[in-house]
Amino acid sequence: MKLKSLPEDFEVEELSDFPMDGGPFAVYLLTKRSLGTPEAITAICHRWNFPRKVISYGGLKDKHAVTRQWVTILRGPRRDFREENFSLTYQGQASRPFEPQDIAANRFHIVMRNLTPDAARRILSCRESLERYGVPNYYDDQRFGSLGESGEFIAQPWCQGNYERALWLAIAEPNSHDRPNDRDEKEIIRHFWGDWVACKGALRKSSARSIVTYLVDHPERFREAFALLRQDMRSLWLAAFQSNIWNRCLAATLQQHVSPDHCFPVSLATADVPFFTALRDSADQALRNLQLPLPSARLHLEPGPLLDLYEQVLSPLGLALRELRVKYPRDSFFSKGERQAVIKPQKLRMHQADHDDQNEGRQRLTLEFILPRGAYATIIVKRLTLFPS
């Protein structure tokens, strides 16, 4: 069974005990559909004329789902705000901003449609193994939206000090998510790359044109030009690269522990990775509480299997673990911490399949579950739909 896209009915609710105890931070519930969190925040900034630095939120919710998440604005207005694809509903006041660590979990409600009766039965039959063994806690494709046609991460040449290449990937490389205006702008930049005067003359006013304007006067200062890109976007590019490396480390770990007859491959945006249908007792024990650290130069590992694993994954990328850092600008850095290797959905409910009112002769199946912060519900969906027939 092929998974071509997200299920049509996909809802995410952010769970938190964030205290509204008075203070200068206005607290809002952001509800959106068909819109990414950064795009919604940009619209709020423009509408209320706030700099991005006064707005805080916990996570990036999927643009293809109906999502509800918390947002705080320092000295924000005590009123609601609505646009076509999102609403911001005032909730109260807090003494501090809402941050990622304030997210307790996320609750998901998913309706899978257009299923054959056989596919619906097979999905329902996976419930016991899903609850018992869980799924690999991969970062899913939504994490890698900045990856362009070359498949090269912007942060890779950035870490290697190749600022021209990093800038080209950021403002010139085609991306399947580009809007028509962005696609046209990137084509102009590629065509005139290096001829900055002509490039500036061909571009309409935009943030990319501002960078090109800088290069007109400083044609070789790619490092400084790259630093003109938005800091929040540069942080996302670092996170995407780090997440890809972590995924590869997890995939290599699973290959060490999981029996081949219990493995099946799944194609993510960046690589084919192993999933499992079951775990032997030894593998279950090894993976149950395993946490893999997020790779970066700030990770000081003693010589041994874990350091060897990270170096083996980084070597084909032309990097060592000590080189996984950026020297400039110093306002962006790789995250530090650990991530659970395997997760299990909590409060899992799989409603019996019934008639799909949108697809004649097909069935629909409803899933409800809770996942910890940072885990992807689409990984659960892939586990249920992409297993071998």
Side-chain angles (χ1 to χ4, degrees):
M1 180 176 181
K2 299 294 185 182
L3 180 68
K4 297 181 179 179
S5 62
L6 288 174
E8 295 177 12
D9 301 324
F10 194 103
E11 298 182 9
V12 188
E13 179 184 2
E14 195 170 73
L15 304 180
S16 174
D17 293 324
F18 185 66
M20 284 181 278
D21 50 5
F25 292 89
V27 183
Y28 307 86
L29 181 64
L30 171 62
T31 302
K32 59 184 183 63
R33 178 195 295 268
S34 303
L35 188 72
T37 302
E39 291 80 8
I41 298 302
T42 297
I44 294 167
C45 289
H46 289 166
R47 175 68 173 269
W48 282 343
N49 195 28
F50 280 114
R52 296 183 78 91
K53 64 182 180 180
V54 305
I55 303 180
S56 299
Y57 52 91
L60 300 175
K61 303 304 179 190
D62 200 295
K63 72 179 295 183
H64 300 290
V66 176
T67 68
R68 299 172 185 86
Q69 67 186 110
W70 298 105
V71 171
T72 56
I73 302 178
L74 179 61
R75 298 183 180 86
R78 303 187 184 195
R79 63 177 186 271
D80 300 343
F81 169 28
R82 297 183 184 277
E83 283 204 352
E84 181 179 357
N85 293 332
F86 75 91
S87 64
L88 200 64
T89 306
Y90 175 71
Q91 302 291 305
Q93 298 293 127
S95 57
R96 61 178 179 83
F98 189 88
E99 297 178 335
Q101 59 266 27
D102 291 308
I103 303 175
N106 289 290
R107 178 187 289 118
F108 297 88
H109 179 98
I110 300 171
V111 179
M112 303 172 67
R113 295 182 179 274
N114 201 24
L115 300 171
T116 64
D118 180 60
R121 283 193 297 269
R122 287 163 55 218
I123 291 171
L124 287 168
S125 72
C126 292
R127 176 171 182 166
E128 182 179 351
S129 63
L130 181 58
E131 289 187 304
R132 179 175 178 182
Y133 301 113
V135 296
N137 193 21
Y138 292 117
Y139 293 94
D140 207 359
D141 298 349
Q142 304 94 304
R143 189 75 163 184
F144 309 115
S146 59
L147 200 61
E149 290 183 355
S150 70
E152 184 178 356
F153 285 88
I154 298 169
Q156 183 173 344
W158 184 8
C159 289
Q160 295 168 325
N162 187 346
Y163 291 95
E164 181 176 5
R165 180 62 178 172
L167 182 65
W168 189 92
L169 292 170
I171 68 173
E173 184 180 39
N175 186 299
S176 60
H177 302 293
D178 286 338
R179 297 174 180 174
N181 287 344
D182 296 331
R183 196 162 51 240
D184 295 342
E185 179 181 76
K186 287 183 175 182
E187 185 177 356
I188 291 170
I189 294 173
R190 289 194 303 274
H191 179 74
F192 290 107
W193 189 268
D195 186 351
W196 304 120
V197 173
C199 189
K200 177 183 177 180
L203 290 172
R204 292 180 293 183
K205 185 177 180 181
S206 68
S207 58
R209 187 176 186 271
S210 298
I211 293 171
V212 169
T213 298
Y214 176 84
L215 289 169
V216 169
D217 297 325
H218 311 283
E220 299 298 326
R221 297 180 67 171
F222 296 107
R223 189 183 78 152
E224 290 75 13
F226 185 78
L228 295 175
L229 293 163
R230 273 174 36 191
Q231 189 276 334
D232 62 323
M233 295 304 300
R234 286 187 275 111
S235 293
L236 289 179
W237 299 333
L238 289 179
F241 188 44
Q242 185 180 48
S243 301
N244 172 59
I245 297 168
W246 190 92
N247 273 4
R248 292 174 183 268
C249 291
L250 175 58
T253 300
L254 292 179
Q255 289 169 347
Q256 295 172 3
H257 288 285
V258 181
S259 172
D261 57 334
H262 291 157
C263 264
F264 65 97
V266 170
S267 294
L268 302 186
T270 56
D272 291 346
V273 295
F275 276 55
F276 50 79
T277 56
L279 295 172
R280 292 176 178 171
D281 289 344
S282 58
D284 190 21
Q285 188 67 32
L287 296 171
R288 184 178 302 168
N289 298 313
L290 176 63
Q291 296 197 26
L292 293 175
L294 299 175
S296 78
R298 297 195 290 167
L299 183 62
H300 302 295
L301 296 176
E302 296 295 330
L306 189 58
L307 177 59
D308 292 343
L309 169 67
Y310 281 68
E311 295 291 12
Q312 289 168 9
V313 168
L314 284 166
S315 179
L317 303 177
L319 288 165
L321 188 61
R322 67 179 184 279
E323 298 171 317
L324 203 58
R325 61 191 180 95
V326 293
K327 298 179 180 179
Y328 183 89
R330 300 304 296 270
D331 60 357
S332 303
F333 48 86
F334 287 104
S335 297
K336 188 175 182 180
E338 295 182 326
R339 182 176 174 88
Q340 192 75 27
V342 173
I343 55 165
K344 298 179 181 180
Q346 302 299 310
K347 298 185 178 180
L348 174 63
R349 298 179 64 188
M350 299 177 69
H351 300 275
Q352 189 67 35
D354 58 5
H355 171 67
D356 184 354
D357 57 338
Q358 296 184 16
N359 298 279
E360 185 66 30
R362 296 294 180 119
Q363 294 186 343
R364 68 179 183 183
L365 193 154
T366 303
L367 307 176
E368 295 179 1
F369 52 86
I370 294 174
L371 292 179
R373 178 180 74 241
Y376 288 77
T378 46
I379 292 294
I380 301 288
V381 175
K382 288 175 179 177
R383 164 64 182 89
L384 294 172
T385 59
L386 299 181
F387 54 83
S389 58

